[in-house]
Amino acid sequence: MHTIVLMGTGGAKLNSTDGEQMWAFDLDALRKAFRKSVQEHKVTAADWAEHAKQFLEKQRDRQREST
């Protein structure tokens, strides 16, 4: 489960049940990267859910490798 937390400085972050946090600008960058991936791989709307799952898993793996 995810919750969005609004910050007093005008920012927002997404909290997940596994303790990970993402800031709103990270989510925007992730959204843009996903759209680009959809276009590059010519993913149909019917296949977006599976593509999103795989895309997010790859992004999470990359982030964990860099830390």
Side-chain angles (χ1 to χ4, degrees), residues 12-28:
K13 66 180 179 178
L14 178 74
N15 286 338
S16 68
T17 55
D18 59 4
E20 294 182 38
Q21 296 180 353
M22 294 188 73
W23 293 95
F25 57 85
D26 292 330
L27 295 173
D28 186 51

Side-chain angles (χ1 to χ4, degrees), residues 18-55:
D18 59 4
E20 294 182 38
Q21 296 180 353
M22 294 188 73
W23 293 95
F25 57 85
D26 292 330
L27 295 173
D28 186 51
L30 192 59
R31 178 183 56 81
K32 288 177 182 175
F34 176 73
R35 283 188 173 177
K36 181 178 178 183
S37 179
V38 165
Q39 290 174 346
E40 289 176 351
H41 293 94
K42 297 180 172 80
V43 178
T44 64
D47 295 326
W48 272 36
E50 184 60 30
H51 185 72
K53 179 181 172 184
Q54 293 173 1
F55 176 82

Side-chain angles (χ1 to χ4, degrees), residues 53-66:
K53 179 181 172 184
Q54 293 173 1
F55 176 82
L56 290 173
E57 287 172 356
K58 287 179 187 176
Q59 295 300 316
R60 187 180 357 227
D61 291 345
R62 286 181 188 156
Q63 183 179 10
R64 287 181 179 158
E65 289 173 1
S66 68

